[in-house]
Structure formats: C-alpha cells, structure tokens
Amino acid sequence: MVFKAFLIKYAEIGVKGKNRGIFEDALVRQIRYALKRCEGQFAVHRTRGRIYVDVLSEEYDYDETVEHLKKVFGIADICPMVQVEDEGFDKLCGTLVEYMDEVYEDKHLTFKVNARRARKNYPLDSMTINGEVGGVLLNAFPEMKVDVHKPDVMLHIEIREKIYIYSIEIPGPGGMPVGTNGKGMLLLSGGIDSPVAGYMIAKRGVKIDAVYFHAPPYTSERAKQKVVDLAKQVAKYSGPIYLHVVNFTDIQLHIYEKCPHDELTIIMRRYMMRIAERIAADTECLGLITGESIGQVASQTMQSLAATNEVCTMPVYRPLIGMDKQEIIDISEKIGTYETSILPFEDCCTIFVAKHPVTKPNVNVIRKHERFLGEEIEGLVETALATKEMVIVGGEE
C-alpha cells in the first residue's frame, strides 16, 4: 500500500481555545521545516481542526518521512492515509476491502469502523456507513470479527471533499511546537544531562540557543566537536541552534590561582552563569536552561544550586531537576545523544574539578572569596565575551 498523505493529530494544542490557530500555524511551520530534509515534495495544510501532509511527488521515502515527522514537537500521532475521490459508495467499499487486504496480512483480527461525515450532503450518515462497511469487510474476510470496545484495528473513514482512509497511528513526540513559548539559553556541555535538558525544554515549545565553555589547550578540538555533534542531535528536534563557544581558559586559571580549591567548581559555575546570562540577554532569551539534577554531584546540592542562582537575574530552568541518572540516560538513548555523550573527550568542567568539593557552600563565604579575583576577572569576562565564536547548528541529518 502506497500512502500519499498523512493526517497529523495533536493533543495539547486542541485545548488552546481561541489561540489554537496560532499553535496550529506554528506546528504547520515546524512540519514544513522537518520535511525540507526529506526526498520528495510535500504540501502541509490545515483545515477544520485537522493538519494534513500531502505527498506531491511520484516517489518519496515513506520511512524517512515518518522518521522526520516523529521528531516534530506538537505531533501526537502520525496517520498514513489513503486519499480517494468520491466515486460512489460501492467504489468506496471496494477500496476499503483492498486497503484491509494489503495493510493486514494476517486477517485473524478484530476491527471497528469509525466514519466521520464532515461533508453533510453525503447520502449516508455515519452510523449507516459503519454498518454497511462492516458487513462488506466481514463478507470479504470471514476470519475477521467486529469488536466495538477494544478492536485490534480501528478503521477510520473521513468524508470530506475527498475521502480519507486510515487505521495506523504512529506515536509522535507530543509536546508543543517549538517557538510557541519563547526562547532560552542552554548551558551545553559534553555530558549526558545538558542535551537531554535541551530536548525536554524544546518539547515544551521553547526555542533554544546554547553556550559551551571551551578550555583550550586543556580541552581538545575533539571535545568541542563532541558538543557540536550533541547540538546537531538536539537540533533534529528543536530546529536550528545558535551555539556560542566561549573560551573559558583564562577565567578558570585565574579562579584556580586565587580561590580555595574546594570552591573551584561552584565559583567557576557562577561565572559560567554570569556569562551565559549576558549572552542570553543580548540574544533576547527569556531564561537559562541547565541539565542539573538535585544531588547528582557536589555542585548540584540544594545549597550549591542556591549559590549558583544567586548570580542570576534571569530565571533558571532545570527540566531534569527531579530525575535520577537512569531516567536521564533512557531519554538520551531515545534521542540519540547517549553514545556521543560518553565519548572520552573531557570538557572544561572535569579538568579543574576539586578533589574534595564543598557540598554546602555558604553564599557569603563564596562572595568573600570571589573578591580575591580582583578587577582582573571583569576584564577576563569581557575578553571571553568579545572573542566567543558562534556556530550555527542547523538540524541537518
């Protein structure tokens, strides 16, 4: 069976009331963007609470198309459809017999017919269509049985200007279309957590940019490429990411030289947040996003998170805050970032880590020790901002 159209179902968007059209339009844009990377030509349109993808080209890659649609946030289900002209009820019944014969090799199944008559001038009502089609299918395939409560197959027939037939529902990622909930700045490292945090926040409709703190020569170009590769994986879901690469070496060395070593991680983290917030403000982001989870490491205790937050005026979003490591790993495997995250290229955080980091930092003590950095630290921050590199990661395959 060659499917030349798809019905796109959504969930949360359906409860948006008078604003639903805004979210539907955003979802249409995201679907068009995703399909640009597929072979073939497509038309995406919405009508009366429905979004359709029509295949315009003679040939296209069905599996590739479905895989790209499965990465579009806002889609609840992808339904491959057969689209036919209305040439009378007998012709429709013949098409439905062909459909069931081709799609379901094993005929030992239960089914239910669910007709929707959007075009009210159609000569038969929905209940009549259900009964007549059910009888035709039972005659054609004696092995099949009707089950109106829990059928193996729900055969949908939509009577519109054309007639749409579908029974397969492929789960989409859910969530909200990217861009419908503002933009945030993701602090992206080469670890497992931060790419998952980017994916999770994008799933809620947030457009993401990212900042990566690079520390050459202590971190290699391969470590930087690892982060770019992680951003590419996330961008398959989130759309293009503007990745800001900040040279953090001189700042880290200055902190290492001037501050107590048990406070290195928390003070470095505070300066990362300060710099990320400066970039976020310049790029019209509404908040920072991190991959922190309570208690996972010393810098993620409640006290450490409070000390980190203290330098920020923007809100800091932590979508993984209540997850354990295995839950995070499961998502990273699902979205394709795990294998890249575990590559053995160190990022700047792990090079300067203290042997015995403080787990309950006192903010007043941290502030006092930051004064040891003097005026020089401000110049180093300005240099880091002035020399940052931006890489556009575009969501390509």
Side-chain angles (χ1 to χ4, degrees), residues 215-332:
Y218 302 98
T219 54
S220 67
E221 283 300 306
R222 295 188 75 179
K224 174 181 167 184
Q225 186 58 47
K226 174 183 174 182
V227 173
V228 172
D229 291 342
L230 287 170
K232 285 182 180 178
Q233 285 297 119
V234 176
K236 291 177 181 178
Y237 295 89
S238 69
I241 295 172
Y242 289 78
L243 175 63
H244 302 268
V245 181
V246 176
N247 189 325
F248 201 58
T249 307
D250 291 342
I251 295 172
Q252 284 190 293
L253 289 173
H254 190 57
I255 295 171
Y256 189 84
E257 180 184 341
K258 298 291 185 180
C259 296
H261 282 198
D262 65 339
E263 296 174 358
L264 289 177
T265 301
I266 195 69
I267 293 175
M268 288 177 187
R269 188 71 177 169
R270 279 161 65 93
Y271 274 93
M272 288 179 180
M273 299 295 273
R274 288 178 170 110
I275 292 170
E277 187 173 72
R278 289 274 299 275
I279 299 170
D282 289 342
T283 54
E284 300 182 336
C285 291
L286 301 174
L288 303 180
I289 305 150
T290 76
E292 291 159 318
S293 167
I294 289 178
Q296 192 175 130
V297 294
S299 63
Q300 295 177 23
T301 62
M302 287 288 281
Q303 294 88 343
S304 295
L305 294 176
T308 302
N309 268 29
E310 198 251 349
V311 303
C312 300
T313 57
M314 282 186 176
V316 181
Y317 300 102
R318 298 180 170 95
L320 313 186
I321 196 69
M323 292 187 181
D324 63 36
K325 196 66 178 185
Q326 190 57 53
E327 290 173 309
I328 298 168
I329 288 171
D330 290 345
I331 297 173
S332 72

Side-chain angles (χ1 to χ4, degrees), residues 10 13 16-29 46:
Y10 49 72
I13 294 174
K16 292 300 179 182
K18 293 180 180 179
N19 292 324
R20 189 168 77 177
I22 297 171
F23 290 88
E24 288 179 336
D25 286 341
L27 181 53
V28 167
R29 287 194 298 272
R46 69 178 182 95

Side-chain angles (χ1 to χ4, degrees), residues 337-352:
T337 57
Y338 180 74
E339 293 300 326
T340 303
S341 291
I342 62 174
L343 291 174
F345 305 122
E346 303 288 359
D347 64 25
C348 63
C349 297
T350 56
I351 296 296
F352 293 95

Side-chain angles (χ1 to χ4, degrees), residues 50-83:
R50 287 282 195 270
I51 295 176
Y52 297 101
V53 175
D54 295 327
V55 182
L56 303 180
S57 45
E58 286 299 317
E59 294 186 2
Y60 81 110
D61 189 322
Y62 169 84
D63 292 329
E64 178 191 50
T65 302
V66 169
E67 282 305 307
H68 279 79
L69 290 172
K70 285 165 71 173
K71 293 181 172 66
V72 178
F73 290 130
I75 293 179
D77 293 290
I78 305 152
C79 306
M81 299 192 305
V82 172
Q83 184 175 290

